[in-house]
């Protein structure tokens, strides 16, 4: 019984994550999680480093979401972004930008 507890806890955690993901609502507009990150200087630099096709896909999702929001509509359920299809496309670039900024700050302290 003790060996089954972590698996049950893991399934429960994944279930909670899926529920929370759907409750946030951005997926109903066709957005991905990384589309909702607040744009500060680090995020703007990470966006600048994105490949052109990934950036264009992001801009399409953002414009479509703005249009739907203005019309107070959501996409049909079959077009919602699904939990397992949500790719963290910006996160690697953002982590690299933050690491570089911290490294530069450390260098400037010397």
């Amino acid at each position: 019984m003790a060996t089954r507890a972590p698996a049950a806890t893991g399934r429960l955690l994944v279930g909670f994550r899926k529920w929370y993901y759907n409750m946030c609502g951005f997926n109903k507009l066709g957005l991905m999680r990384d589309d909702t990150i607040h744009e500060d200087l680090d995020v703007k630099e990470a966006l600048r480093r994105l490949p052109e096709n990934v950036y264009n896909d992001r801009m399409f999702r953002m414009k479509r979401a703005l249009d739907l929001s203005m019309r107070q509509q959501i996409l049909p359920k079959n077009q919602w972004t699904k939990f397992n299809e949500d790719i963290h496309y910006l996160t690697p670039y953002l982590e690299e930008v933050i690491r570089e900024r911290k490294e530069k700050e450390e260098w400037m302290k010397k």
Side-chain angles (χ1 to χ4, degrees):
M1 180 94 176
T3 59
R4 296 177 79 190
T9 303
R11 284 195 305 268
L12 182 64
L13 187 58
V14 169
F16 177 75
R17 285 182 178 165
K18 287 181 180 180
W19 173 82
Y20 182 74
Y21 182 83
N22 286 320
M23 291 304 295
C24 287
F26 59 82
N27 65 320
K28 296 173 185 172
L29 298 173
L31 294 173
M32 295 183 169
R33 185 192 68 87
D34 282 359
D35 295 334
T36 64
I37 297 175
H38 175 72
E39 289 190 25
D40 59 7
L41 293 176
D42 291 338
V43 174
K44 287 180 182 179
E45 177 60 24
L47 288 171
R48 191 184 66 74
R49 296 180 184 192
L50 282 175
E52 186 176 358
N53 63 328
V54 176
Y55 181 79
N56 289 340
D57 290 345
R58 172 191 164 90
M59 294 310 298
F60 171 77
R61 289 190 303 272
M62 300 287 273
K63 288 179 181 181
R64 178 178 58 182
L66 283 170
D67 182 53
L68 288 167
S69 181
M70 288 184 61
R71 291 188 284 143
Q72 298 181 354
Q73 295 178 348
I74 60 172
L75 290 172
K77 192 165 186 169
N78 63 346
Q79 293 181 18
W80 291 3
T81 306
K82 293 166 189 59
F83 178 78
N84 53 354
E85 295 174 354
D86 193 340
I87 301 166
H88 302 291
Y89 66 91
L90 187 62
T91 304
Y93 295 95
L94 184 57
E95 289 172 351
E96 181 181 348
V97 167
I98 291 170
R99 182 186 53 77
E100 288 175 1
R101 180 179 46 80
K102 287 181 179 179
E103 185 178 307
K104 183 177 179 182
E105 289 171 356
E106 286 297 316
W107 179 260
M108 297 303 280
K109 285 181 183 178
K110 294 180 181 180

